[in-house]
Amino acid sequence: MYSPGSPLVIEERPRPRSGSGLVVDVLACGVCHTDLDLLDSAAMRSPHVLGHEVVAAGPGGEPCLVYPSWGCGRCLHCRSGDEAMCPDVVIAGVHADGGYAQALVIPDETYLFPIGHLDPATAAPLADAGATSYRAVRRAMPASRTVVIGVGGLGQYAVQWLRLVSDCRVTAIDTAPEKLLRALDLGADEAVPPEADIEPAPAVLDFVGTSESLVLAKSVVTRQGTIVIVGGGGGTLPVGMETVPYETWVTTSIMGSRSDVVTVLNHAQRGRVECHVEPLPLDEANTALKRLRGGAVTGRLVLEPGP
């Protein structure tokens, strides 16, 4: 990335030097809506390499999921394994060069989690889409009913986590008919467009995050319910005594902890969770981002750097 809003530039660079870290070869890297936000941001440093959903070859060649949040190692969040909450966190592809490349530098081997028999392209989205959605579900439980707003890459995982960790009834909401069908296939009890008549629920997970989706979330949450905002759509929700149902908890959720990554990997390795993944070569990164921006992606696009 060289300038906000402009296409990425594909170029040859020297292999990165380790410095005080570890250089790993990238096997696959997921394409995320966060990448679009970063690409549009004037605050991003340039040149910059995007990509935070990375599977890389460990020192012994074993494919490993890269935990992308690198904390200070000293604060309470880091000591509890929740480095994404560290005030000084460095996130691959955000604050440091990421996985839209053949190699990247990570702090050390402790950020590598072996994926076992999983295909690298299938495992890559677990680093963010899988772990972030699991964290959101974990924070919203227990609930007898859950509404999932937006069943794209993250929301499709959330439907599956809800089925695995609870016995609640799941309502999926999306504007894309193909995503609604996918949500039903993954275990949602019902899948409807936003304008449908939706029964209020004690838990609402918003994976869109626009002002419109947040208004919808407020309209379908019960009193004493929980709204978890995960999507980075730029919307806001006024919170006051009379603006949301009484005693509603409104919170945000971002990234997963180390234990979340371990849990989602365990489920994936046991065949309990799936994601519709479409691999593309690295030189089609701009094509992938354009498709994602246009909403022409049902599951997750994954870049494969190749040799």
Side-chain angles (χ1 to χ4, degrees):
M1 171 186 171
Y2 275 93
S3 60
S6 298
L8 299 179
V9 177
I10 301 173
E11 63 183 17
E12 293 292 332
R13 283 186 168 186
R15 183 175 174 82
R17 297 181 179 181
S18 61
S20 58
L22 174 69
V23 179
V24 292
D25 292 317
V26 176
L27 302 177
C29 183
V31 179
C32 180
H33 270 282
T34 299
D35 298 336
L36 292 177
D37 296 335
L38 298 172
L39 186 60
D40 293 338
S41 173
M44 287 297 294
R45 67 183 180 91
S46 62
H48 179 70
V49 180
L50 298 172
H52 54 277
E53 293 185 338
V54 182
V55 168
E62 182 179 18
C64 297
L65 193 68
V66 176
Y67 184 65
S69 300
W70 311 331
C72 68
R74 302 179 300 274
C75 70
L76 177 63
H77 301 292
C78 289
R79 294 199 304 273
S80 67
D82 204 0
E83 293 182 58
M85 296 297 104
C86 174
D88 299 317
V89 67
V90 173
I91 301 176
V94 180
H95 309 103
D97 282 346
Y100 284 24
Q102 291 176 314
L104 82 158
V105 181
I106 65 173
D108 56 59
E109 292 184 42
T110 63
Y111 292 92
L112 297 175
F113 293 80
I115 66 172
H117 67 276
L118 296 176
D119 176 71
T122 301
L126 296 173
D128 178 19
T132 297
S133 57
Y134 179 81
R135 181 189 186 96
V137 166
R138 173 170 59 81
R139 298 188 67 202
M141 292 297 100
S144 58
R145 293 189 64 254
T146 300
V147 171
V148 178
I149 301 176
V151 282
L154 274 76
Q156 289 174 20
Y157 277 118
V159 170
Q160 296 177 83
W161 300 139
L162 287 164
R163 281 293 176 229
L164 284 168
V165 305
S166 74
D167 58 357
C168 71
R169 183 172 178 83
V170 179
T171 298
I173 301 176
D174 206 288
T175 58
E178 63 274 16
K179 293 180 182 179
L180 295 178
L181 291 174
R182 178 69 175 160
L184 291 172
D185 288 341
L186 295 173
D189 294 285
E190 58 180 349
V192 297
E195 63 272 15
D197 185 15
I198 301 163
E199 181 184 352
V204 180
L205 307 178
D206 184 357
F207 290 97
V208 181
T210 61
S211 294
E212 293 78 9
S213 68
L214 290 170
V215 168
L216 176 60
K218 181 184 72 171
S219 72
V220 298
V221 70
T222 61
R223 292 185 175 188
Q224 296 186 320
T226 300
I227 297 174
V228 183
I229 306 168
V230 189
T236 58
L237 177 66
V239 176
M241 182 59 75
E242 302 298 333
T243 61
V244 295
Y246 292 136
E247 298 191 2
T248 295
W249 292 89
V250 180
T251 185
T252 58
S253 188
I254 182 171
M255 307 296 284
S257 66
R258 283 176 175 263
S259 62
D260 290 332
V261 168
V262 170
T263 299
V264 301
L265 263 177
N266 180 270
H267 282 305
Q269 289 166 347
R270 292 171 179 245
R272 296 173 177 170
V273 64
E274 60 179 284
C275 179
H276 177 72
V277 169
E278 182 182 345
L280 294 171
L282 178 61
D283 60 9
E284 292 189 26
N286 285 315
T287 299
L289 291 167
K290 183 178 180 180
R291 286 179 55 190
L292 186 62
R293 193 185 295 277
V297 181
T298 301
R300 210 66 165 176
L301 298 178
V302 177
L303 301 176
E304 295 181 324

